[in-house]
Amino acid sequence: MRVAELPIGRFPPLAVLPRRSSVMDVLLAMGRNKVRHVPLVDEDGKLSGMVSARGVVDFLGGKRYDEIVVSRFGGDVYRALGDVSVDIISYDPPFVFNDSDVREVIELMVERGLGALAVVDKAHRVVGIVSERHVISLLADVDTHVKVKEIMTPEVVTASPMDTLQHCMRVMSERRIRRLPLASSGELKGIVTVKDVLAYLSKEESLSKLKSDRDAVYSTPLVYLASKPVITVEAEADVGEAVNHMKKHGIGALVVTRGGKITGVLTERDVLTRLPRVKGVEIFLDEAEKRIIGSRVSF
C-alpha cells in the first residue's frame, strides 16, 4: 500500500511557506490553520526545511526566547517575530515519496520518533504531509488486548488554571511536551495544547497588544486558552477504545484516570511508538480495507 493510496494525510498541506519566511509568517500559518508542522520550500517548490510548533514555542517562551528575543531584541517579541528568519528554528525535513510503501512511513516515524513527514514527488516538490495523527487514524476499530496503562506516559505535568501563558510556554519548552492539563484541588479544569497557544498568539488582538505591551499577552491566565471539557479515559480501558476517543473528538491525547484521579497521559506518539513494542503485539496492514491492525496475539 502506497502513501498516495492512503485515506489519510493532507494533499496538499494546509500550510507551506517559502524558505525566506519570517517566524511571524510561521506563527500565523500554524495558529490560523491549526497545524503543528509547516514544510518550507525553495523557489521551485522543492522541500528545503520543516518547522514544528515546538520550535515556535521555544522561540516565544523557551531557550530560544532568552537567546534571541531577550538578547537581541530586548524582549520585543513583536519585532523579533517579524525580523528573524525562519531558518533559525527550522530543521532538515524528514520525508517520504508519494509512492513509498506505508510500512516505510510507520517505521520511520517509530524509529525516529517523528511527528510528521513531508510527502514529495520524484522532483522533491511538496505534495502532502502525513502526521502521527493521520497514521493513528488507520488503526482498526478493534480490541487491541492492550490496556491504556501499559503504554501511557505516567508522568503528568500539570499547571494551575491561573498560571500564565509565559509559564506555559516555558514548561512546554523545558519539558518537551505539547499539552498541559490544568488542575485545581485535584480536579481537571481544562487542558492547554501547543495549538491553543499558537492560535491565541496569532490572533490580531494578541499581535496588536504585543506591539506595545508584551506583558498583557504573556500574563494571560491559562484558563482563558484552555479546551474544555477534558476528554479522559480509564487506565484499564483497551487502547483501541482510547484511539476511538481521539478520532471521535479530533484530539491527539487523553488524560488517563483511575477512580477519578489523574494517573497519566496517552498521546498519539505513545500509541505509535509503544504499542508495537508491547510483548505479544503484532502490527500488520489490511491492504483490502486500507487500515492498520494492531493487537496482542500472544500473552
Side-chain angles (χ1 to χ4, degrees):
M1 187 160 49
R2 307 296 175 183
V3 174
E5 299 172 339
L6 295 176
I8 50 97
R10 287 281 185 180
F11 295 87
L14 282 176
V16 178
L17 291 175
R19 188 67 193 239
R20 61 180 179 275
S21 299
S22 67
V23 179
M24 176 71 85
D25 294 326
V26 177
L27 170 62
L28 295 176
M30 288 185 174
R32 296 177 182 180
N33 288 290
K34 297 182 179 180
V35 296
R36 292 201 315 261
H37 300 87
V38 174
L40 304 174
V41 297
D42 62 17
E43 295 79 3
D44 298 319
K46 294 182 179 181
L47 182 66
S48 65
M50 184 89 85
V51 187
S52 72
R54 177 173 289 168
V56 179
V57 168
D58 284 346
F59 180 89
L60 290 169
K63 183 178 180 181
R64 308 314 296 276
Y65 175 80
D66 295 329
E67 291 178 352
I68 302 168
V69 181
V70 174
S71 297
R72 289 171 48 185
F73 295 88
D76 188 335
V77 177
Y78 188 85
R79 187 159 67 91
L81 281 168
D83 289 358
V84 176
S85 168
V86 71
D87 284 339
I88 206 157
I89 58 171
S90 67
Y91 57 93
D92 290 337
F95 67 89
V96 291
F97 291 101
N98 53 0
D99 62 351
S100 296
D101 191 281
V102 68
R103 293 175 181 81
E104 181 182 344
V105 175
I106 297 171
E107 289 171 1
L108 196 55
M109 284 187 162
V110 170
E111 290 174 4
R112 296 178 55 184
L114 300 171
L117 294 168
V119 182
V120 301
D121 61 18
K122 291 301 182 183
H124 283 252
R125 292 185 295 263
V126 176
V127 297
I129 191 166
V130 176
S131 72
E132 55 196 0
R133 180 169 300 180
H134 294 143
V135 174
I136 292 305
S137 72
L138 291 175
L139 280 168
D141 184 14
V142 297
D143 288 335
T144 64
H145 305 293
V146 176
K147 294 182 178 181
V148 167
K149 66 181 182 181
E150 295 182 70
I151 66 169
M152 71 181 187
T153 299
E155 302 83 14
V156 185
V157 181
T158 64
S160 162
M162 295 310 293
D163 281 335
T164 65
L165 173 60
Q166 182 168 12
H167 172 78
C168 173
M169 291 192 291
R170 179 71 67 177
V171 171
M172 285 183 170
S173 178
E174 291 178 350
R175 300 298 294 267
R176 313 306 290 169
I177 57 177
R178 299 198 306 258
R179 304 162 185 94
L180 197 57
L182 306 183
S184 178
S185 301
E187 293 185 10
L188 275 171
K189 299 297 183 180
I191 188 168
V192 176
T193 71
V194 69
K195 285 186 179 180
D196 294 328
V197 170
L198 299 186
Y200 177 76
L201 288 170
S202 65
K203 290 181 178 180
E204 290 186 12
E205 181 182 359
S206 299
L207 292 173
S208 179
K209 286 181 179 179
L210 279 178
K211 290 182 181 180
S212 57
D213 190 359
R214 164 212 172 277
D215 289 343
V217 177
Y218 274 45
S219 63
T220 302
L222 295 180
V223 66
Y224 293 111
L225 281 70
S227 301
K228 295 174 267 188
V230 183
I231 309 301
T232 63
V233 67
E234 286 291 319
E236 299 293 326
D238 190 272
V239 170
E241 178 185 342
V243 170
N244 289 335
H245 281 322
M246 291 184 193
K247 291 167 63 177
K248 177 182 177 181
H249 296 282
I251 55 178
L254 300 169
V255 175
V256 183
T257 59
R258 179 183 286 128
K261 294 188 177 182
I262 301 173
T263 60
V265 174
L266 182 73
T267 69
E268 297 160 329
R269 187 160 298 179
D270 291 333
V271 177
L272 184 65
T273 62
R274 295 179 180 175
L275 181 61
R277 297 189 175 111
V278 173
K279 184 177 180 180
V281 168
E282 289 189 7
I283 305 291
F284 60 94
L285 298 174
D286 185 331
E287 299 277 350
E289 297 293 330
K290 293 184 178 178
R291 62 182 183 178
I292 301 171
I293 296 177
S295 182
R296 177 177 270 146
V297 295
S298 62
F299 295 83

